[in-house]
């Protein structure tokens, strides 16, 4: 049974369609125009061609990539339904300005993802915190008081029946047509896989889409080591659910492994157990032992779709999110090297010229940016996944705050790990000041993602914490420099605080931290305005697809 009352698939589908349509703009004849205050926002993304060298791939592998892109496009359609609802075509038809229409496409709806989800079109309501995962008129209290199957599931949408009772519908039923089409394409792609383990994974992922049971395919994904092509596809991250952080959003990345860079990174994985043991926190908060089968790899990403393509673009991935898989198998850290390089060249270097003291700009390097990003993803696997006081998983205990605090943990522990590995001469490139200074420039890059983003909140909390602890100084010209000693102390103390909040499942404590420190203060706002005046892009957007790749 899917609900408190018996509901047929047909009636459930009708209820779903009614709810999904609720976010549409109702006056179909009325033209939608850009609000004047958003005029300068249309140019915050710099277009980058997403390409890679595919000359070493076989004909089968190239055909498989083409099919994986087809499946990814369906993830794009699914994410539109989750983020906006039905009516994408009608929405776009009501817009005359091509630049405004493109901005809607980048944001997967009429809300600016890098400006706290503010509506940027006339006659558009505020975005629901629960996106399209929950009924718009549902209160948090009503949800928490209700009891129904699939209440906190990652893979269901919540709807109301005619009596107002809440019930859930599995994704595989709510989105049957899309799911069946995507699964069939993955199965076809599996027949072209030269790597048999990867072909098996594609078939298992297709089965997972149809059944909403993803753990077995996650395990199979972790067991693959030699596949030169990869795809991350399905409902994965929960950032779109700002109401509770329970529901996962559809996305896809199509990837080609960079074998030489991956070999270079492989040596770091063996140090994870010691790094976990040495975390600057009491033993109770680091008692879990992450899987030792984790691996680090570098990829060129050739296609983004769905959640991964919305607003700010991800440049590194740490998966799976399933806590059981993490404890048994560890995680895979995927560094998206070509996208990372594009952001460094287009954003990081120009930021450093505006906000870092001149004598320290040489310390902003791509190697440090790559390492800081990589160890951010590694750090997701460290710390604690289950509370120490029987409140369940950290994700469940911290609800909508879980994602922002987890991103903050990964950022701060990633920098801690770089420091440790440099001291032990495991990392041999550059000096600690490179990593600290590049990290500082990276905060200015990421904080521009806005308060609605988990990454943005994490960056603001960390920036304000560093400021309060003297980790950096700001001169009269508004240029920053790192205080090495105080930065090190701040890294350790903030690491301890975050890990303790997670282990205690301290929902109120995290909420207080976000409220007190998760905002942009006056001096930082002025600095960010300098970046806007210099017309430095906030993020990148891709020209991508089969035509670009010659497929």
């Amino acid at each position: 049974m899917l609900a408190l009352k018996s509901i047929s698939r047909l009636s459930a589908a009708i209820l779903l369609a009614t709810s999904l349509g609720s976010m549409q703009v109702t006056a179909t004849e009325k033209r939608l125009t850009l609000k004047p205050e958003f005029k300068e926002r249309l140019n915050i993304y710099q277009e980058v061609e997403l390409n890679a060298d595919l000359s070493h791939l076989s004909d089968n592998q190239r055909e498989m990539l083409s099919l994986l892109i087809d499946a990814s496009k369906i993830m794009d359609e699914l994410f539109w339904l989750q983020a906006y609802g039905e009516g994408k075509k009608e929405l776009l038809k009501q817009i005359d300005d091509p630049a405004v229409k493109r901005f809607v496409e980048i944001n997967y709806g009429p809300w600016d993802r890098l400006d706290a989800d503010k509506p940027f079109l006339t006659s558009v309501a505020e975005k629901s915190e629960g996106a399209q995962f929950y009924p718009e008129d549902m209160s948090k209290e009503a949800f928490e008081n209700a009891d129904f199957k699939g209440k906190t599931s990652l893979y269901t949408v919540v709807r109301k029946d005619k009596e107002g009772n809440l019930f859930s519908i599995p994704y595989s039923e709510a989105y049957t047509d899309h799911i069946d089409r995507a699964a069939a394409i993955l199965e076809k792609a599996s027949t072209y896989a030269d790597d048999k383990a990867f072909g098996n994974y594609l078939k298992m992922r297709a089965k997972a889409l149809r059944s909403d049971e993803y753990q077995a395919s996650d395990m199979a994904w972790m067991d693959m080591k030699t596949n030169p092509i990869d795809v991350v596809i399905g409902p994965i991250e929960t950032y779109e659910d700002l109401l509770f952080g329970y529901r996962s959003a559809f996305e896809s990345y199509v990837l080609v492994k960079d074998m030489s860079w991956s070999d270079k990174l492989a040596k770091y994985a063996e140090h994870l157990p010691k790094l976990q043991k040495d975390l600057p926190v009491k033993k109770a908060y680091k008692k879990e032992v992450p899987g030792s089968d984790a691996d680090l790899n570098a990829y060129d990403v050739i296609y983004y779709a769905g959640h991964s393509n919305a607003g700010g673009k991800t440049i590194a991935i740490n998966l799976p999110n399933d806590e059981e898989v993490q404890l048994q198998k560890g995680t895979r850290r995927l560094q998206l090297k070509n996208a990372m390089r594009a952001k460094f060249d287009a954003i990081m270097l120009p930021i450093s010229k505006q906000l870092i003291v001149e004598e320290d700009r040489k310390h902003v390097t791509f190697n440090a940016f790559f390492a800081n990003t990589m160890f951010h993803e590694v750090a997701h696997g460290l710390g604690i996944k289950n509370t120490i006081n029987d409140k369940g998983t950290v994700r469940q205990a911290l609800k909508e705050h879980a994602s922002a605090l987890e991103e903050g943990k990964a950022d701060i522990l990633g920098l801690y790990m770089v420091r440790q590995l440099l001291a032990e001469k495991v990392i041999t490139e550059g000096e600690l000041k490179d990593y600290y200074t590049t990290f500082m420039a990276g905060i200015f890059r990421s904080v521009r993602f806005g308060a609605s983003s988990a990454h943005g909140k994490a960056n603001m909390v960390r920036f304000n914490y560093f400021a309060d602890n003297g980790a950096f100084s700001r001169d009269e010209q508004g240029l920053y420099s790192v205080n090495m000693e105080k930065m090190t102390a701040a890294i350790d103390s903030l690491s301890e605080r975050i890990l303790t909040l997670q282990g205690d499942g301290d929902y109120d404590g995290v909420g207080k931290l976000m409220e007190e420190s998760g905002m942009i203060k006056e001096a930082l706002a002025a600095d960010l305005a300098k970046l806007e005046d210099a017309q430095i892009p906030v993020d990148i957007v891709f020209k991508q697809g089969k035509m670009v790749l010659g497929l």
Side-chain angles (χ1 to χ4, degrees):
M1 298 294 292
L2 300 176
L4 294 173
K5 295 179 179 290
S6 177
I7 299 175
S8 71
R9 177 179 291 196
L10 178 60
S11 60
I14 293 171
L15 281 164
L16 175 67
T18 301
S19 181
L20 284 176
S22 62
M23 291 302 294
Q24 295 178 41
V25 180
T26 53
T28 55
E29 297 83 8
K30 187 174 182 180
R31 310 311 294 165
L32 296 176
T33 58
L34 186 74
K35 294 180 178 179
E37 63 268 30
F38 286 90
K39 184 178 180 181
E40 300 302 319
R41 300 285 296 171
L42 297 181
N43 297 317
I44 64 172
Y45 294 92
Q46 180 166 315
E47 186 174 90
V48 174
E49 189 171 275
L50 200 56
N51 212 330
D53 179 12
L54 307 181
S55 61
H56 62 291
L57 300 180
S58 69
D59 289 343
N60 275 351
Q61 288 169 331
R62 292 170 65 88
E63 182 65 31
M64 182 169 62
L65 285 178
S66 182
L67 289 166
L68 294 178
I69 289 173
D70 290 340
S72 299
K73 290 177 180 178
I74 298 173
M75 297 301 108
D76 219 57
E77 296 170 13
L78 284 165
F79 183 66
W80 263 100
L81 292 175
Q82 293 180 316
Y84 176 75
E86 298 279 359
K88 171 191 171 184
K89 290 182 179 179
E90 289 74 13
L91 171 66
L92 294 175
K93 282 179 182 177
Q94 291 175 262
I95 302 167
D96 296 320
D97 188 332
V100 175
K101 190 174 294 189
R102 179 62 173 144
F103 201 61
V104 170
E105 291 171 339
I106 291 170
N107 285 280
Y108 287 74
W111 306 282
D112 189 341
R113 289 178 175 270
L114 301 191
D115 191 12
D117 279 332
K118 294 176 185 175
F120 55 82
L121 296 181
T122 54
S123 305
V124 169
E126 296 288 328
K127 185 179 181 183
S128 170
E129 286 191 322
Q132 294 297 298
F133 298 116
Y134 308 92
E136 271 189 83
D137 60 350
M138 182 197 79
S139 67
K140 293 184 77 170
E141 182 181 18
F143 179 86
E144 288 171 341
N145 291 336
D147 182 20
F148 57 93
K149 185 177 180 181
K151 178 178 177 179
T152 61
S153 169
L154 289 164
Y155 311 118
T156 66
V157 290
V158 178
R159 299 293 177 244
K160 283 183 180 180
D161 64 20
K162 292 179 180 179
E163 285 74 40
N165 298 309
L166 297 176
F167 69 98
S168 68
I169 309 174
Y171 285 176
S172 58
E173 293 191 25
Y175 311 115
T176 302
D177 176 62
H178 291 83
I179 293 293
D180 284 346
R181 286 191 289 122
I185 293 171
L186 290 182
E187 288 168 341
K188 183 177 180 180
S190 72
T191 65
Y192 290 95
D194 295 337
D195 184 290
K196 298 304 179 187
F198 184 58
N200 181 59
Y201 162 71
L202 291 177
K203 288 184 281 189
M204 293 182 71
R205 203 63 176 175
K207 182 178 179 181
L209 285 168
R210 290 189 175 110
S211 66
D212 304 296
E213 297 288 341
Y214 287 88
Q215 191 174 85
S217 64
D218 283 345
M219 292 283 193
W221 187 70
M222 282 302 301
D223 288 337
M224 296 187 305
K225 302 296 180 188
T226 60
N227 48 307
I229 292 171
D230 211 336
V231 63
V232 173
I233 190 166
I236 298 169
E237 303 290 2
T238 60
Y239 304 131
E240 191 71 9
D241 179 3
L242 293 175
L243 196 61
F244 291 106
Y246 291 150
R247 264 71 200 177
S248 57
F250 285 95
E251 65 182 337
S252 182
Y253 306 80
V254 182
L255 306 155
V256 178
K257 186 181 287 187
D258 186 316
M259 295 299 190
S260 60
W261 271 72
S262 295
D263 290 343
K264 180 180 175 183
L265 304 181
K267 63 182 180 181
Y268 296 128
E270 64 190 68
H271 297 274
L272 297 184
K274 184 177 187 301
L275 288 165
Q276 170 83 350
K277 183 180 178 182
D278 292 342
L279 287 173
V281 70
K282 293 178 181 178
K283 288 184 179 180
Y285 298 93
K286 54 183 178 182
K287 62 184 178 181
E288 295 175 358
V289 180
S292 59
D293 202 22
D295 58 348
L296 308 174
N297 292 283
Y299 295 82
D300 283 330
V301 56
I302 61 170
Y303 202 82
Y304 284 73
H307 181 265
S308 66
N309 196 43
K313 306 302 183 291
T314 299
I315 52 177
I317 313 168
N318 177 69
L319 291 172
N321 287 328
D322 187 310
E323 292 88 353
E324 289 184 33
V325 180
Q326 288 186 6
L327 291 174
Q328 288 187 45
K329 300 281 189 180
T331 57
R332 176 169 294 157
R333 287 85 177 195
L334 302 89
Q335 314 308 305
L336 311 183
K337 189 164 62 69
N338 56 342
M340 203 181 297
R341 184 87 224 190
K343 289 202 184 193
F344 183 79
D345 291 343
I347 303 170
M348 285 283 286
L349 288 179
I351 283 176
S352 70
K353 292 177 181 177
Q354 293 291 325
L355 295 180
I356 303 297
V357 295
E358 186 174 359
E359 59 268 29
D360 285 353
R361 290 171 194 166
K362 64 180 180 291
H363 293 291
V364 179
T365 70
F366 180 70
N367 278 337
F369 182 51
F370 186 93
N372 288 343
T373 305
M374 175 178 68
F375 284 107
H376 166 103
E377 300 306 329
V378 174
H380 278 302
L382 298 183
I384 196 162
K385 303 297 177 188
N386 300 287
T387 59
I388 66 172
N389 50 11
D390 299 322
K391 290 185 179 179
T393 66
V394 171
R395 190 192 315 183
Q396 291 170 333
L398 299 185
K399 301 178 183 177
E400 74 273 18
H401 299 319
S403 292
L405 193 67
E406 176 63 21
E407 292 306 322
K409 179 203 81 173
D411 274 329
I412 203 72
L413 289 189
L415 200 54
Y416 152 80
M417 294 166 70
V418 167
R419 190 184 77 214
Q420 296 296 97
L421 293 175
L422 270 170
E424 296 173 15
K425 301 191 186 315
V426 176
I427 294 177
T428 57
E429 295 174 326
E431 57 182 285
L432 186 58
K433 191 167 186 177
D434 295 347
Y435 297 89
Y436 279 7
T437 307
T438 302
F439 189 82
M440 170 60 64
I443 292 179
F444 295 122
R445 181 185 70 85
S446 297
V447 80
R448 299 170 81 199
F449 292 163
S452 67
S453 155
H455 296 78
K457 285 181 182 177
N459 274 281
M460 284 183 270
V461 168
R462 187 173 55 262
F463 180 90
N464 290 322
Y465 188 91
F466 282 171
D468 293 342
N469 287 272
F472 54 76
S473 60
R474 180 179 182 271
D475 68 17
E476 293 180 356
Q477 286 74 45
L479 300 176
Y480 289 79
S481 59
V482 172
N483 182 309
M484 298 295 290
E485 184 177 341
K486 290 183 178 180
M487 175 72 93
T488 295
I491 289 167
D492 287 350
S493 60
L494 183 56
S495 296
E496 181 181 27
R497 184 172 183 184
I498 290 176
L499 290 168
T500 302
L501 286 168
Q502 287 187 321
D504 291 343
D506 188 353
Y507 176 83
D508 293 334
V510 180
K512 184 179 179 182
L513 176 66
M514 296 296 171
E515 184 178 350
E516 292 177 350
S517 300
M519 82 291 290
I520 297 177
K521 297 182 180 179
E522 187 175 347
L524 178 57
D527 297 331
L528 297 179
K530 285 171 61 177
L531 302 182
E532 289 185 23
D533 292 341
Q535 297 186 326
I536 297 172
V538 177
D539 210 77
I540 55 178
V541 64
F542 300 116
K543 181 181 180 182
Q544 61 175 0
K546 297 181 188 181
M547 293 285 287
V548 172
L549 296 164
L551 291 175

